[in-house]
């Protein structure tokens, strides 16, 4: 099957605040022939689309379904369906994503397949929730020669808390369980942020036992753990 | 001494491409009474200012000198001079920075002192070079459950290469020396990026011995090391 698409832009649209989109992202979204919007469930509101909808008018948009399932074989079929939709568009298209397309983004799966098919892909970077969350907490992520790590599921946090100045835990709905392992250590403070820059943003900063984790069980919550020196 | 300033914005202006600035950053830069521009040497061109200069017109701008020295006592004096300049401005001001203000930014030193003085600070996030560099290389930083770390001076890289999927080394002029420690390991690929999104951007991707490190001895170069699984 020959491909029709000329170029695919992977566009990061930033976080909740619709003004945290770049001029370049807007320029691309305005010029492309079609915008694809990844969704995790049919009928579910796309956050990425909410961010851009006031910036674009009467644009041809289409959803791409990427359910949040673990079965890789099943997932692969969804990716292939998505890729087929994308490559059979004429002209230039954009696939939007919240945050940045290079950091734990749905787009990376499409990107891999598009590269294998030698399709021209350009990434347009976006503001990541890791930075927006640090801003929401009012603390720098790292300064000077400090070391930082991102542990998606919090794996080995009890070990890395002694080696890294800042640890970010994201992509989990159960931050409490992941952070429980360090609760008896005395060398850290926990910052939690739910939906940074959204209207219902929530933050907390303190020790494990001081935090009401129920407020941060959202998939868009993340933890920034700072080691005390 | 009483302070005159009402609010200080720490504004990330992104990387080299002037279109990688956010709508929010532009809005803030347009409304503030003064824009402060950190420079490392008197008479030295400020990259952050180059990025914004076509976006703002006839704006009141002033430089803040932060020399690249290690002596903390001497540095502290420069920070204090800078803070005094900032807090003695009437109205709202912005301090601009390349990349994001929460990641190894000069702004974090000012931020700390401003917080101690109870001055209202708001961070406006920017596109970081770590994302722009991944885009330049055409690879995601991390996907799925992969772990990432940033080692500013490459410290302990020989250990972490076995534990992290992606290692970023930045803030050093000598990437070759830092990476030499892993040259005999067989489980990695090195991506190097100099001045991502600038007109003179340069990239390389390969094994240690395949790379011409002379082209990446700039302070704005960074390395993204991907573990092969």
């Amino acid at each position: 099957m020959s491909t029709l698409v000329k170029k695919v832009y992977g566009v990061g649209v930033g976080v909740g605040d619709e003004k945290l989109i770049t001029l370049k992202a807007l320029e691309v979204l305005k010029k492309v022939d079609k915008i694809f919007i990844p969704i995790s469930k049919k009928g579910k509101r796309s956050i990425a689309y909410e961010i851009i909808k006031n910036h674009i008018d009467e644009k041809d948009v289409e959803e791409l379904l990427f359910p949040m399932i673990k079965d890789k074989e099943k997932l692969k079929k969804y990716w292939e369906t998505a890729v087929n939709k994308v490559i059979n568009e004429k002209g230039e298209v954009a696939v939007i994503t919240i945050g940045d397309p290079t950091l734990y983004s749905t787009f990376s799966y499409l990107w891999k397949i598009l590269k294998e098919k030698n399709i021209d892909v350009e990434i347009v970077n976006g503001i990541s929730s890791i930075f927006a969350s640090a801003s929401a907490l009012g603390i720098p992520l790292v300064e000077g020669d400090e070391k930082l790590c991102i542990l998606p599921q919090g794996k080995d946090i009890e070990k890395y808390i002694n080696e890294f100045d800042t640890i970010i835990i994201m992509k989990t709905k159960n931050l409490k369980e992941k952070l429980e392992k360090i609760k008896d250590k005395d060398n850290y403070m926990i910052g939690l942020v739910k939906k940074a820059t959204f209207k219902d943003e929530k933050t907390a900063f303190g020790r494990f036992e001081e935090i009401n984790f129920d407020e941060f069980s959202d998939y868009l919550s993340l933890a920034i753990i700072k080691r005390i020196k």
Side-chain angles (χ1 to χ4, degrees), chain A:
Chain A
M1 194 172 63
S2 69
T3 61
L4 289 167
V5 78
K6 287 228 161 42
K7 184 167 185 169
V8 179
Y9 290 92
V11 179
V13 298
V15 277
D17 180 347
E18 64 175 50
K19 285 182 183 159
L20 282 176
I21 195 167
T22 67
L23 295 185
K24 180 148 189 200
L26 273 189
E27 187 183 273
V28 167
L29 294 179
K30 278 172 183 164
K31 81 171 182 183
V32 291
D33 302 291
K34 189 162 204 164
I35 297 174
F36 287 101
I37 303 161
I39 55 164
S40 60
K41 206 186 266 182
K42 270 204 172 112
K44 205 182 168 191
R45 202 178 62 110
S46 155
I47 293 166
Y49 183 65
E50 291 295 317
I51 293 171
I52 66 162
K53 71 175 185 197
N54 294 325
H55 292 304
I56 52 164
D57 38 41
E58 290 181 48
K59 197 82 192 185
D60 195 4
V61 299
E62 186 173 343
E63 291 178 342
L64 301 175
L65 183 60
F66 294 100
M68 282 182 159
I69 53 174
K70 301 248 169 196
D71 185 328
K72 283 198 175 167
E73 280 310 302
K74 274 191 189 159
L75 266 177
K76 221 177 150 188
K77 277 183 192 151
Y78 284 100
W79 299 339
E80 279 164 7
T81 307
V83 166
N84 280 334
K85 278 188 184 181
V86 171
I87 65 177
N88 285 304
E89 278 300 318
K90 277 184 202 153
E92 298 192 331
V93 304
V95 181
I96 60 172
T97 170
I98 50 168
D100 183 86
T102 74
L103 193 80
Y104 304 116
S105 167
T106 317
F107 185 71
S108 59
Y109 306 111
L110 286 186
W111 197 1
K112 199 178 287 171
I113 305 177
L114 292 169
K115 271 197 275 190
E116 284 164 9
K117 292 181 184 286
N118 284 315
I119 287 163
D120 188 13
V121 175
E122 184 177 337
I123 299 296
V124 180
N125 291 115
I127 300 296
S128 166
S129 63
I130 64 173
F131 299 136
S133 297
S135 301
L137 289 166
I139 52 169
L141 278 180
V142 268
E143 32 184 341
D145 284 344
E146 291 180 345
K147 294 187 290 183
L148 172 147
C149 69
I150 307 179
L151 309 173
Q153 298 295 323
K155 203 168 167 283
D156 297 325
I157 181 174
E158 64 279 18
K159 171 185 162 196
Y160 291 122
I161 191 75
N162 299 316
E163 303 177 21
F164 284 83
D165 303 283
T166 303
I167 297 178
I168 298 172
I169 300 181
M170 54 199 292
K171 286 172 50 75
T172 171
K173 282 186 176 176
N174 201 342
L175 286 167
K176 186 175 186 181
E177 186 193 304
K178 313 292 179 189
L179 291 170
E180 201 138 33
K181 291 182 222 155
I182 58 162
K183 91 176 167 201
D184 296 326
K185 299 207 176 236
D186 54 9
N187 60 342
Y188 71 88
M189 292 291 278
I190 296 171
L192 289 186
V193 184
K194 177 188 165 183
K195 297 184 81 176
T197 84
F198 285 80
K199 288 202 181 83
D200 52 344
E201 170 187 295
K202 214 175 255 300
T203 64
F205 192 76
R207 306 266 316 158
F208 183 86
E209 57 279 6
E210 296 167 335
I211 289 171
N212 178 7
F213 282 92
D214 294 343
E215 293 178 325
F216 302 94
S217 57
D218 186 284
Y219 191 76
L220 290 175
S221 295
L222 61 76
I224 297 174
I225 298 121
K226 299 283 277 187
R227 185 159 58 119
I228 300 165
K229 280 175 284 195

